[in-house]
Amino acid sequence: MAKLPKETPVVLIMAGGKGERFWPRSRTNSPKQLQKVYSNKTLLKETIDRALTITSLDRIYIGTNATLKAEILKKDPKFPSGNFIIEPEGKNTAPIIALSALYFQKKYGNPNLIVLSADAFIDPVKEFTKTIEQALFETENGMVLLGVKPNRPEVGYGYISTGKPTDVGYTVKAFFEKPDFKTALKYIKKKNFYWNPGIFLFRTETILSELERHAPHILGPLKNGFPFKNFGDLKTAFQMLPSEAIDTAIMEKSNRIRMVEATFNWDDVGSWMSLERILPGDKEKNHHQGKEVHYHKASGNISSVQKELITFLGVKNLIVVEEPDVLLITSREGVGDIKAMLSNMRKNKVLQKYLD
């Protein structure tokens, strides 16, 4: 077995998303990663605390935009103000990871880089720590991603199929995009299929080498201008880049991919529906976050409210979310249309303030 690297890894937390499916709690200037969703901590703070089990605070960085940086420091003034990788505009995950890798190479040499998203539910934390420590064994052999064993036919996640065992994981045979329900049913019956939670580990030299090989259109404009003398130059470089995920830019093309199976429970906290998998429920499959709740002939409801008491009478499959200025009531079927609804609301100037 390879030797576990002794140096402390660097962690990049991706925190630039809009989180529209968590409206009305998630807004443009204060998206879901800056909100308390399933605990008394924001999703970002949960992620930072989780990262502290595998590295030190000075080696944790947040990838986001300038506006959200200010909001993050308001909510967590103890976080190092210099530990941000600022992107001029959101271009998915490949450009920000490429920019970060260049920065970390210059600052640290060839460290292990661990990429996390800011909006995941992970439990228990000790199993997360243990899985990451195991996965670090594999970074000497290439790029590593974690895989979560599916427990349901989920159509909202990407899947990974594995091949031969390695020291602590497996080779990766193929990636599969979000499937339809029938295909997802087939996937979960296969022993070598896993969900892709978007947690990556690699040496900076490895990811930069693979970007050079498979995505020079992304690395090139950044590498040519790095280190950027001013934010305007970086903005110009970003305008040249496509909006592309690291999965399609690199992971699905490289032959240097390993996967390590996660031993923790994971959810991407993608929409209000995810609360039914995180919050405890009653025998009628009602799930509540708030103070008091009472159900009478009600089932399958999800609520996150601020009222002293909310009651559900004779209703099924409703989602109720209360904020000081907005009350959202939707069916389970309707929750998938939140983004479309917000797009429609943006056309009305009177409603704009409820989106920002």
Side-chain angles (χ1 to χ4, degrees), residues 115-129:
V115 180
L116 307 175
S117 63
D119 54 1
F121 169 80
I122 289 176
D123 184 70
V125 173
K126 66 178 181 180
E127 290 300 319
F128 165 80
T129 309

Side-chain angles (χ1 to χ4, degrees), residues 183-203:
T183 305
L185 276 173
K186 293 180 181 179
Y187 287 171
I188 67 172
K189 293 177 182 178
K190 298 177 181 290
K191 292 183 178 180
N192 68 324
F193 269 63
Y194 296 80
W195 285 332
N196 180 5
I199 299 175
F200 306 105
L201 305 89
F202 31 65
R203 292 281 188 180

